[in-house]
Amino acid sequence: MTLDLQKGTISEITSCNNDSAGVNTGSVRDAEGLQYLPATTDMHIHLDKHFLGEPWKPLQPFITLPGQLAFEKSMLASLPTTAAERARRLIDLLLSHGTTKIRTHVDVDPELGISHLEDVLTVREEYRGVMEMEIVAFPQQGLLRSDSLQVMKEAMRAGAEYVGGVDPAGLDRKVDRSLEAMFELSAEFNAGVDLHLHDPGHLGLYTISRFAELTAQANKGGRTAVSHAYCLGQVNEGESKELAQQLKANDVAIITSVPLDRPMPRVDQLVAEGVRVHVGSDNILDAWSPFGNGDLLARGAKLAEKFGWILDDELLQTYPLISAGTLAPKAGDPASFMLVAALNAKHALAYAPARTAAFSNGKLVGGKWAEAMTKA
Ligand SMILES: [Zn+2]
């Protein structure tokens, strides 16, 4: 198969002719034997707070969320880098693994103001055309708890497209009011909503159900999501199934980082019920976790392994959770894809090999080919 890449899209696909076999010039590359995969999409990440490129930083045990929030704030304040420099470092890592679209949450609070957001907006412009970015204004310290309504408005005016929130019960201690405040902001700024939810069990279940009702009332189906939603893996299967049906009916997505250290949503059940599920890296070497390397293909492998997806169809059903692209390229598609050494797409998902090449809109952005060009 020959892919003709013009102006960032796949303009033509032809069956292989031998003229180009073995040819490797500036504009022609022989990818013989390599597997084509669509570029990945990381739907939950924090560009502004990680320690990539910094000396090792020991973490402390997680005891309470407010204690952890104070710890994170002090860690971030001690970093010599700006949020813009951190954003660039993490985006470069993601591109090297073939991720070309992300949703990043960016901290805002009355103390920080929108300084992190302004940095991330600047970096978004620098990477325009290579990394597609959705930005969530994230009141990490609690929307109501930290009195962040005004700074959230400032963030939405500055250019965030999603209203964030966190633990309406555990942090804000007013479930309905916290959710309503998020949806009031989303109505005022015609924005989507993406809630961080760690609140457990039936408290979390009630919160998601109310979130789905508010989504329907606001006519925001397709534009809202609950991230983490551990409670969906803590209640019984019948209860999580009932809520999955409500999520499907109101088109609310669930976003997971596939945690191994705690219960997580039953992704197999959510997929079977037709709920949109997306995967994100979330914490990568930060105040919350030293784990993670920004490789969404590897995270997809972790998800499939966690749910015992060993059959071909099961392995393949992982791709829509980590990518917005398709496994078979079509003329007219954006030329955002990766090439890996694997027997087929199922093997690639299970094995998550290093990227031989990663392209974003026709531009080589990662993998061994890009490294070789940098060295040359
Ligand atoms: Zn997060």
Side-chain angles (χ1 to χ4, degrees), residues 44 46 196 228 282:
H44 189 121
H46 295 263
H196 273 72
H228 307 321
D282 200 12

Side-chain angles (χ1 to χ4, degrees), residues 40-360:
T40 45
T41 300
D42 193 321
M43 286 295 275
H44 189 121
I45 199 152
H46 295 263
L47 289 183
D48 59 327
K49 36 186 202 174
H50 59 78
F51 310 143
L52 293 171
E54 299 288 333
W56 180 254
K57 301 196 185 312
L59 301 185
Q60 70 173 26
F62 188 119
I63 298 168
T64 64
L65 187 50
Q68 175 64 20
L69 292 175
F71 173 66
E72 181 185 46
K73 249 190 176 300
S74 70
M75 296 282 273
L76 290 175
S78 73
L79 293 180
T81 49
T82 62
E85 288 167 301
R86 294 196 289 275
R88 290 184 198 106
R89 284 181 190 174
L90 185 45
I91 291 172
D92 288 342
L93 177 68
L94 297 169
L95 288 171
S96 78
H97 293 304
T99 290
T100 61
K101 181 180 175 185
I102 59 173
R103 177 179 293 178
T104 179
H105 295 250
V106 182
D107 279 16
V108 301
D109 65 48
E111 209 176 291
L112 271 182
I114 61 166
S115 57
H116 283 199
L117 179 72
E118 285 170 334
D119 274 16
V120 171
L121 285 164
T122 301
V123 172
R124 175 158 74 175
E125 289 311 310
E126 292 169 15
Y127 284 82
R128 192 168 285 284
V130 179
M131 180 61 88
E132 195 182 333
M133 286 169 57
E134 295 176 345
I135 299 180
V136 186
F138 179 40
Q140 169 77 81
Q141 306 288 321
L143 179 61
L144 305 181
R145 174 182 178 265
S146 65
D147 205 6
S148 284
L149 281 172
Q150 285 312 315
V151 73
M152 283 291 287
K153 288 188 183 191
E154 223 183 303
M156 301 312 293
R157 259 179 237 119
E161 296 104 350
Y162 282 79
V163 173
V166 56
D167 289 357
L171 271 185
D172 280 347
R173 304 177 74 83
K174 295 184 184 80
V175 176
D176 287 77
R177 183 63 208 119
S178 175
L179 292 173
E180 285 158 11
M182 291 176 71
F183 279 87
E184 283 161 17
L185 286 167
S186 83
E188 186 175 343
F189 296 96
N190 186 23
V193 183
D194 191 333
L195 169 69
H196 273 72
L197 186 69
H198 319 93
D199 286 333
H202 292 98
L203 189 57
L205 216 60
Y206 168 77
T207 305
I208 297 178
S209 175
R210 187 77 190 107
F211 184 93
E213 281 173 12
L214 289 166
T215 296
Q217 277 168 28
N219 205 15
K220 295 260 179 199
R223 299 177 67 193
T224 67
V226 179
S227 288
H228 307 321
Y230 304 138
C231 59
L232 281 168
Q234 294 166 334
V235 297
N236 73 41
E237 279 188 41
E239 290 168 321
S240 61
K241 182 173 178 175
E242 196 176 297
L243 189 59
Q245 288 165 347
Q246 191 188 359
L247 293 172
K248 163 71 179 163
N250 298 337
D251 200 1
V252 176
I254 294 293
I255 299 174
T256 182
S257 62
V258 197
L260 298 181
D261 60 342
R262 65 196 68 198
M264 63 169 282
R266 297 180 174 94
V267 173
D268 43 3
Q269 183 183 60
L270 292 170
V271 168
E273 293 297 330
V275 178
R276 280 184 301 115
V277 178
H278 303 289
V279 175
S281 297
D282 200 12
N283 307 102
I284 298 173
L285 187 59
D286 63 10
W288 304 75
S289 170
F291 302 109
N293 62 3
D295 183 344
L296 248 279
L297 187 60
R299 202 162 287 259
K302 187 172 155 185
L303 175 76
E305 186 175 3
K306 170 123 183 160
F307 286 92
W309 292 352
I310 61 167
L311 305 181
D312 283 7
D313 287 353
E314 293 172 335
L315 289 166
L316 292 177
Q317 79 178 356
T318 313
Y319 280 103
L321 279 55
I322 59 168
S323 174
T326 54
L327 285 169
K330 294 190 302 296
D333 281 353
S336 297
F337 61 93
M338 45 205 190
L339 300 170
V340 294
L343 299 171
N344 52 38
K346 293 149 288 200
H347 181 218
L349 193 280
Y351 186 59
R355 302 317 98 92
T356 305
F359 287 87
S360 180

